[in-house]
Amino acid sequence: MTFQTCMSFELKNNLSELSTLCERLERIGGALGIPRRLLFEINLALDELFTNIISYGYADQSEHSIRVCISAENDLLTVVLEDDGIPFNPVERLSPELPCTLEECKVGGLGIHLVKNLMDEVVYSRCGNKNVLTLKKAIEKN
């Protein structure tokens, strides 16, 4: 049996929109019966990416839209983030060398590493003036 659903929405490039992103993910996750642990991992990855887009993605202070599409087919959840920010491919970002101690840690660089480890697949493309980041996560039903 094939099950498919899709939810698409736009958010402003404002950190206050993180709660809306989380709510929408929770709603679709609940409808699909996605386990809480997986929803937490997906939300953590989206929080990191959305925050990075807002913090580093724009050369101006204007309002921009970030499009989010969440779809599920059978046992695969796909999330697509699309923004009109500065071209940036997080997939090409090298994984940081992790220090032995907390004191040796440098600030920054761990978020993208975290996203790559939480998701099963991360794919970047530049389409016209848009960054398109596709995240895939295998889902196990409750």
Side-chain angles (χ1 to χ4, degrees), residues 65-79:
S65 289
I66 300 167
R67 184 168 180 72
V68 181
C69 296
I70 302 172
S71 62
E73 186 167 2
N74 296 325
D75 61 350
L76 185 66
L77 186 76
T78 302
V79 180

Side-chain angles (χ1 to χ4, degrees), residues 21-31 36 39-40 43:
L21 179 60
C22 181
E23 284 172 20
R24 302 246 172 122
L25 178 64
E26 291 285 332
R27 190 177 314 141
I28 196 169
R36 301 279 321 144
L39 276 177
F40 174 81
N43 189 53

Side-chain angles (χ1 to χ4, degrees), residues 5 25 28-29 32 34 38-39 42-43 46 69-80 119-121 134-139:
T5 188
L25 178 64
I28 196 169
L32 296 173
I34 298 173
L38 290 181
L39 276 177
I42 297 162
N43 189 53
L46 289 178
C69 296
I70 302 172
S71 62
E73 186 167 2
N74 296 325
D75 61 350
L76 185 66
L77 186 76
T78 302
V79 180
V80 179
M119 305 307 292
D120 295 321
E121 185 178 350
T134 302
L135 312 169
K136 295 188 178 188
K137 181 78 171 173
I139 51 177

Side-chain angles (χ1 to χ4, degrees), residues 5 16 25 34 36 57 61 81 96-98 109 113 118 121 124 132 134 137 142:
T5 188
S16 66
L25 178 64
I34 298 173
R36 301 279 321 144
Q61 298 300 314
L81 293 174
E97 289 187 31
L98 300 177
H113 176 71
L118 288 173
E121 185 178 350
Y124 172 84
V132 180
T134 302
K137 181 78 171 173
N142 282 333

Side-chain angles (χ1 to χ4, degrees), residues 72-135:
E73 186 167 2
N74 296 325
D75 61 350
L76 185 66
L77 186 76
T78 302
V79 180
V80 179
L81 293 174
E82 184 178 300
D83 68 79
D84 65 345
I86 299 164
F88 177 70
N89 182 350
V91 177
E92 290 179 343
R93 183 89 180 214
L94 296 176
S95 294
E97 289 187 31
L98 300 177
C100 296
T101 67
L102 188 59
E103 291 79 24
E104 295 172 337
C105 267
K106 295 178 189 171
V107 174
L110 293 178
I112 292 170
H113 176 71
L114 177 72
V115 170
K116 288 179 183 178
N117 282 290
L118 288 173
M119 305 307 292
D120 295 321
E121 185 178 350
V122 180
V123 177
Y124 172 84
S125 64
R126 183 77 179 174
C127 297
N129 68 337
K130 305 271 186 187
N131 292 303
V132 180
L133 192 61
T134 302
L135 312 169

